[in-house]
Amino acid sequence: MTAVQQQPSLPPLGAVYRTRAGVELKEFFRQRESVVFSLALPVILLVVFGAVLDYDIGLGIPFTQYFLPGILAAGILGVSLQNMAISIATERSDGTLKHLAGTPMPRSAYFVGKVVQVLATTVAILVILLLVGRVFYGVGLPSGTDWLTFAWVALLGAAACTLLGIAVSSLARTGRSASAMITPIALVLQFISGVFFQFSQIPTWMQTVASVFPLKWMAQGFRSVYLPDALAADEPAGSWELGRVAIVLGLWCVAGLVLCVLTFRWQDRGTD
Amino acid sequence: MSSPTAVPTASAAPRPDLPLDPEAAISVRGLVRRYGSSTAVDGLDLDIHRGEIFALLGPNGAGKTTTVEICEGFRRRDAGEVRVLGQDPATGGRRWKAQLGIVLQSGAGDSQLTCRELVRSQASYYSDPRDPDEVLELVGLTEKAGVRGRALSGGQRRRLDVALGIVGRPTLLFLDEPTTGFDPEARRQFWSLIRSLRDLGTTMLLTTHYLDEAEALADRVGVIARGRLVEVAVPSALGGRGSAPAVVSWTEDGVRRTHDTHAPTALVAELAARFGGEVPDLAVARPTLEDVYLRMIGQPTPEERTA
């Protein structure tokens, strides 16, 4: 009984992906709040904390050299987890997502656009922080195989936090409430995960809490790049535990992906 | 005013036994949607022909948006059959969506992109889109092409929503309260846009609160109340308007007189003869669309009470 109409063709996938990537980059870089919040804040923190907390953490290493890997991890957390949670919650509550769901845009294109946005902003924040660390505080760039470690920690951390951010976006009703929910959590994680303070100085129970979440492992992975191996003795396990860093971040990727698939909604709750 | 119409026209009577119309742009039979204990849509039947503008009128909460969003594939249904361009919207894929244009009541969201960028990005989701600049011209946003979406006024934003809805060259266009927030001039411009789209063969399902809008645009009007379609008719015949008695009124001996009649011409001729020329304050009126609409949504007809 169904009269099948002549179905129109669809544009090539690659073209739509390019469109969405462009849309997401413009949406991010034109919004002052997101640029200040995600890109400028970590730089300000690096400059201010670097200037204030300029003490020797042992072996003649200044705190800045400990702080830089931490703020790199926090910077990635900001452009991935915080940015995704807030921007997607906003787009869900203001009708952007519902509008897109009513078009023939392949749904994968939306996520491709978000991934491109996170990759671009991750590269941006890392480059800026590396340069500021180098120029203002003389923290050298990684060398040799350290670049490899740097790259996989950044990539795996960004992936885990992006997926987690997309999943968390479904918990909030609006972008504002997403911000109110995720900002304090991120701040607390930064305090207990070895970003602003040395992880070894944090109470054990807080270390245990921090060990559940990705930030602690990202910061630890980056420290292995910036600190001499002798300082690995200060870590809870007495080593950099790069294998465990990879496993925990990988598990968060899997958990985040499952949560995304289970919870992602294209419209507000209760409007289907 | 005449007594409430007790008998809905044949086209609005529930006909769950009637098969879906495969030729119709939209065909709905026995549609039901409940939210918790309340029933938003309660056995609705509807056929929208290809090429027509169909206006769905009804008070808030009557089930307009629920019905439209089920047809668009956004909401699920509890019972009934729906075909939109031959496809069940619950399982419609991308090729089906490529034939639709959807202007949601909630709009298309906030954006940092300019109008031109937004229309261009929307166009890229379709294989044969309209020219984005022509579309902006069509909705009267050419001068705002370089302005960001979030910087537009309410009426301009609504026109942008319409631009996004039509850039994919839809066969069927859904317009859910498209002119809310328009000033009278913008509404007139919008109406001429809708008429030019109809001339291009676009089928449109329009929901609106504005009776003059339905009367000006629609080929047929459906009135929805308490989740059911209580009548479908051409605007001039809605609620028996075409056959309702005319009300002739005039002033005689300083007193306002009114008379209901099916033969107003004869009465006017008689008055003219009696007054020997101009009849003071003469007026001949039919019930307005608003009169019949308010009557239709005001109280349930006997059929509905027993249904």
Side-chain angles (χ1 to χ4, degrees):
Chain A
M1 98 170 313
T2 302
V4 178
Q5 316 297 324
Q6 197 192 349
Q7 301 262 310
S9 58
L10 293 167
L13 218 51
V16 184
Y17 286 176
R18 272 198 302 282
T19 301
R20 288 307 306 174
V23 167
E24 292 293 353
L25 291 177
K26 286 173 190 159
E27 292 284 5
F28 181 90
F29 285 103
R30 286 181 189 176
Q31 188 174 16
R32 207 176 302 127
E33 294 96 312
S34 64
V35 172
V36 168
F37 193 68
S38 306
L39 296 185
L41 190 62
V43 175
I44 294 167
L45 289 175
L46 176 60
V47 171
V48 172
F49 273 66
V52 174
L53 301 171
D54 191 20
Y55 62 94
D56 189 339
I57 61 164
L59 304 175
I61 308 274
F63 176 75
T64 324
Q65 198 162 333
Y66 189 99
F67 186 50
L68 182 65
I71 202 75
L72 287 171
I76 291 177
L77 190 79
V79 295
S80 54
L81 195 151
Q82 287 169 272
N83 175 25
M84 286 298 105
I86 295 168
S87 72
I88 296 176
T90 304
E91 289 178 338
R92 189 178 289 114
S93 62
D94 76 11
T96 302
L97 278 182
K98 186 172 182 175
H99 167 77
L100 288 174
T103 73
M105 179 196 80
R107 296 190 170 193
S108 61
Y110 178 75
F111 298 102
V112 168
K114 290 293 183 198
V115 166
V116 169
Q117 188 195 76
V118 172
L119 279 176
T121 51
T122 298
V123 169
I125 189 66
L126 293 181
V127 167
I128 296 169
L129 288 172
L130 288 180
L131 285 178
V132 171
R134 179 83 191 76
V135 173
F136 285 82
Y137 297 103
V139 181
L141 299 176
S143 57
T145 56
D146 280 346
W147 273 120
L148 194 67
T149 310
F150 183 92
W152 74 251
V153 170
L155 211 60
L156 204 55
C161 291
T162 300
L163 290 163
L164 207 52
I166 296 172
V168 166
S169 77
S170 300
L171 296 175
R173 270 216 159 284
T174 64
R176 231 176 260 265
S177 62
S179 180
M181 178 177 69
I182 201 69
T183 309
I185 293 176
L187 200 61
V188 169
L189 282 181
Q190 287 168 15
F191 275 107
I192 66 172
S193 299
V195 174
F196 297 122
F197 307 109
Q198 284 178 262
F199 196 63
S200 55
Q201 295 171 351
I202 291 164
T204 317
W205 70 270
M206 279 193 190
Q207 288 186 349
T208 310
V209 173
S211 301
V212 176
F213 298 100
L215 185 63
K216 181 257 182 191
W217 300 98
M218 290 156 67
Q220 190 171 319
F222 283 130
R223 281 201 293 277
S224 81
V225 171
Y226 280 91
L227 299 178
D229 287 342
L231 282 181
D234 283 350
E235 299 293 329
S239 75
W240 299 122
E241 296 182 286
L242 285 181
R244 183 166 285 184
V245 170
I247 289 170
V248 174
L249 294 179
L251 283 176
W252 268 113
C253 285
V254 174
L257 186 63
V258 170
L259 284 173
C260 285
V261 171
L262 291 179
T263 63
F264 195 85
R265 290 173 286 111
W266 290 87
Q267 42 189 315
D268 272 332
R269 242 170 304 192
T271 57
D272 61 340
Chain B
M1 183 176 270
S2 60
S3 65
T5 314
V7 185
T9 59
S11 59
R15 352 144 248 203
D17 50 323
L18 205 77
L20 289 159
D21 180 355
E23 296 305 315
I26 297 178
S27 194
V28 177
R29 293 292 178 274
L31 184 64
V32 174
R33 177 61 209 265
R34 300 180 197 93
Y35 298 108
S37 60
S38 74
T39 303
V41 180
D42 186 15
L44 183 133
D45 300 308
L46 177 66
D47 282 312
I48 295 174
H49 310 313
R50 286 176 182 267
E52 78 171 334
I53 300 180
F54 190 98
L56 211 48
L57 281 175
N60 285 330
K64 291 193 305 287
T65 292
T66 296
T67 302
V68 169
E69 292 201 351
I70 287 171
C71 291
E72 292 166 343
F74 285 116
R75 298 186 192 221
R76 45 177 194 81
R77 59 185 189 260
D78 291 312
E81 287 292 308
V82 181
R83 289 291 179 279
V84 173
L85 300 179
Q87 168 70 45
D88 182 341
T91 57
R94 291 174 53 208
R95 286 175 194 278
W96 172 72
K97 282 185 187 161
Q99 304 167 74
L100 308 180
I102 297 177
V103 177
L104 290 165
Q105 203 179 104
S106 54
D110 255 355
S111 183
Q112 300 287 347
L113 270 61
T114 66
C115 294
R116 183 183 287 116
E117 287 169 335
L118 282 167
V119 177
R120 278 192 184 157
S121 65
Q122 177 92 2
S124 77
Y125 309 149
Y126 302 84
S127 60
D128 181 29
R130 291 193 164 98
D131 178 68
D133 288 326
E134 278 173 27
V135 169
L136 286 171
E137 174 82 49
L138 217 52
V139 300
L141 280 179
T142 301
E143 279 163 28
K144 300 285 174 187
V147 175
R148 293 187 192 184
R150 62 169 43 188
L152 297 176
S153 72
Q156 290 165 347
R157 212 179 265 216
R158 213 65 190 120
R159 282 188 272 164
L160 176 62
D161 290 338
V162 174
L164 297 176
I166 65 175
V167 73
R169 217 182 282 281
T171 308
L172 170 61
L173 178 60
F174 293 94
L175 296 158
D176 199 353
E177 296 185 12
T179 58
T180 305
F182 280 29
D183 59 40
E185 195 198 340
R187 281 176 73 215
R188 300 286 158 166
Q189 284 171 2
F190 175 79
W191 291 358
S192 71
L193 164 65
I194 295 304
R195 290 192 188 105
S196 62
L197 288 172
R198 183 206 3 226
D199 295 342
L200 294 169
T202 313
T203 308
M204 279 171 269
L205 173 54
L206 166 83
T207 73
T208 183
H209 281 301
Y210 301 113
L211 298 164
D212 58 337
E213 187 159 287
E215 187 157 30
L217 292 178
D219 298 304
R220 290 191 304 150
V221 177
V223 175
I224 190 167
R226 294 167 302 278
R228 308 188 98 171
L229 213 53
V230 293
E231 181 160 345
V232 175
V234 299
S236 60
L238 199 70
R241 259 171 100 200
S243 58
V247 180
V248 179
S249 53
W250 69 98
T251 304
E252 195 167 358
D253 303 331
V255 180
R256 190 79 184 147
R257 304 280 194 98
T258 64
H259 189 75
D260 289 4
T261 175
H262 284 285
T265 314
L267 178 59
V268 170
E270 185 198 315
L271 288 170
R274 176 147 32 114
F275 283 94
E278 277 302 310
V279 181
D281 304 322
L282 175 68
V284 181
R286 301 268 177 189
T288 65
L289 186 57
E290 187 164 352
D291 293 335
V292 299
Y293 168 73
L294 289 175
R295 199 181 64 225
M296 270 188 280
I297 64 170
Q299 49 192 9
T301 61
E303 276 82 355
E304 287 176 285
R305 282 203 207 95
T306 54

